[in-house]
Amino acid sequence: MGLFDKLFGKKQQQESLEQGLQKTREGFLSKLTKAIAGKSTVDAEVLDNLEDALVSADVGIETTVKIIEQIEARVAKDKYLNTSELNKILKEEVQNILVAAPQDTSYENYELPGGHKPHVILVVGVNGVGKTTTIGKLAHNFSKAGKSVLLGAADTFRAAAVDQLTIWSERTGVDIVKKEMGSDPASVAFDTVKSGVAKNMDVIIIDTAGRLHNKIHLMDELSKIKKVIQKVIPDAPHEVMLVLDGSTGQNALEQAKHFTAATDVTALTITKLDGTAKGGVVLAIASQFKIPVKFIGVGEKAEDLLVFDKQLFVDGLFNL
């Protein structure tokens, strides 16, 4: 058992996940119950109602079609499918969707990938998605797992971002590199990485400006940050993590499309799943993008930022 399991435990992770997915689960399962009300077999009407339930949970059209087609195939094969089996079959198909999605367990138990030190994570995402809070929670959890952490406040266009990250650094007891508002973000990133190497830190997490109104500008800015980082560590950043707000549903998908077109995103974090009935967007994102979901946020506490576990997620969604 890893240190993270000892600190929080799989049981606590599952409980946090079930609580965080409560709105999604209740909304979805209630619609599923209505879909099969008065029916003894899975027919076209049941499938139509199931499709509506999936779409309303923001599973997305493309992913919903995949699930429905698989269930239709099973109905055709088995000839007779009892509605009492539908919940079990649906869970299996959701599992299949997630199993087919990219999987990366490099952060399991808040461990870090081997072969290099420090591990540099560049965090991107639009303002308001919980980007800076996610960085603070990552710092807390990596620190709890025994890792030394350094934060870089490279979102210099928004004073609140620097202030917020400073509060997290104080709260979690980790160091931070920052400059006055309006400073060159690349300069902050360079100083952060240089300091991290000098202090032999385990992980460096760098915040970036949350703008998306101009993809070319975004691309140029991130490219500049990467170039200066690589002057210190040639193979950094080791991760470009996109933070998405799960409560925005399909809008999170659109943001993912824009950011992945603008820069080389290698990991996804989906936040605010506890405050929405649109938790199905995790399935849509995992299914449509060839980029692994590595963390999900299911509550306000730092410990509610969970390393994404496909099986725990499905169990939390269906509460079985």
Side-chain angles (χ1 to χ4, degrees):
M1 180 177 284
L3 182 57
F4 186 77
D5 280 340
K6 290 177 183 176
L7 290 168
F8 307 117
K10 280 286 185 183
K11 184 178 180 181
Q12 187 170 337
Q13 291 180 63
Q14 184 67 51
E15 288 174 355
S16 294
L17 196 54
E18 288 186 2
Q19 289 173 8
L21 293 176
Q22 183 177 354
K23 290 184 179 179
T24 296
R25 182 175 59 251
E26 289 177 351
F28 175 69
L29 293 182
S30 68
K31 288 178 180 176
L32 180 60
T33 300
K34 291 177 183 177
I36 62 177
K39 297 281 187 176
S40 58
T41 60
V42 177
D43 57 18
E45 185 180 359
V46 168
L47 290 174
D48 284 344
N49 291 337
L50 175 58
E51 185 174 331
D52 290 341
L54 288 166
V55 171
S56 67
D58 269 75
V59 171
I61 299 296
E62 186 177 318
T63 308
T64 295
V65 168
K66 286 182 186 177
I67 294 172
I68 295 297
E69 285 179 348
Q70 289 300 315
I71 294 177
E72 283 178 335
R74 292 180 71 161
V75 170
K77 179 183 176 183
D78 297 340
K79 303 301 180 187
Y80 180 91
L81 198 61
N82 196 300
T83 51
S84 63
E85 300 175 278
L86 186 58
N87 200 55
K88 173 176 173 289
I89 292 166
L90 181 58
K91 181 182 178 183
E92 289 173 0
E93 293 306 330
V94 167
Q95 284 175 325
N96 290 339
I97 288 286
L98 287 177
V99 167
Q103 176 70 47
D104 188 324
T105 58
S106 56
Y107 294 117
E108 192 172 0
N109 301 327
Y110 274 92
E111 290 301 315
L112 292 167
H116 58 264
K117 182 181 178 180
H119 183 70
V120 181
I121 303 174
L122 192 63
V123 183
V124 301
V126 301
N127 293 332
V129 297
K131 178 166 57 72
T132 307
T133 299
T134 294
I135 293 170
K137 290 178 177 180
L138 284 171
H140 170 86
N141 290 328
F142 277 125
S143 182
K144 276 275 194 178
K147 305 294 184 289
S148 56
V149 183
L150 179 64
L151 301 179
D155 184 355
T156 58
F157 293 93
R158 196 167 60 95
V162 178
D163 293 343
Q164 189 179 6
L165 205 59
T166 300
I167 291 169
W168 271 106
S169 75
E170 294 169 350
R171 185 183 299 168
T172 58
V174 305
D175 293 337
I176 185 171
V177 174
K178 59 182 178 178
K179 294 186 178 182
E180 61 274 7
M181 186 179 171
S183 298
D184 180 12
S187 173
V188 178
F190 177 80
D191 288 352
T192 303
V193 175
K194 192 174 180 180
S195 175
V197 170
K199 294 178 179 179
N200 197 32
M201 306 300 285
D202 291 313
V203 58
I204 296 170
I205 311 173
I206 301 173
D207 193 10
T208 63
R211 300 191 307 279
L212 195 58
H213 64 273
N214 186 325
K215 283 196 286 185
I216 294 175
H217 187 241
L218 172 72
M219 205 171 350
D220 288 346
E221 185 175 293
L222 293 176
S223 294
K224 185 179 177 183
I225 289 174
K226 288 180 184 179
K227 284 177 183 176
V228 301
I229 287 174
Q230 287 165 359
K231 289 180 180 179
V232 184
I233 305 175
D235 62 342
H238 305 103
E239 193 90 89
V240 177
M241 183 174 293
L242 172 61
V243 179
L244 300 167
D245 179 351
S247 70
T248 63
Q250 293 303 297
N251 190 43
L253 272 175
E254 287 303 309
Q255 287 178 24
K257 289 176 184 175
H258 286 301
F259 267 97
T260 53
T263 192
D264 183 24
V265 175
T266 62
L268 300 170
T269 292
I270 304 174
T271 66
K272 306 183 185 182
L273 292 173
D274 55 308
T276 181
K278 299 179 178 181
V281 74
V282 175
L283 299 180
I285 291 169
S287 174
Q288 291 184 38
F289 295 93
K290 304 304 179 187
I291 303 166
V293 176
K294 295 196 178 181
F295 298 97
I296 56 172
V298 293
E300 294 296 323
K301 300 190 299 294
E303 292 84 359
D304 291 332
L305 183 69
L306 306 177
V307 177
F308 184 56
D309 183 307
K310 294 176 179 181
Q311 189 59 56
L312 288 182
F313 181 83
V314 174
D315 289 343
L317 188 61
F318 287 86
N319 197 22
L320 295 175

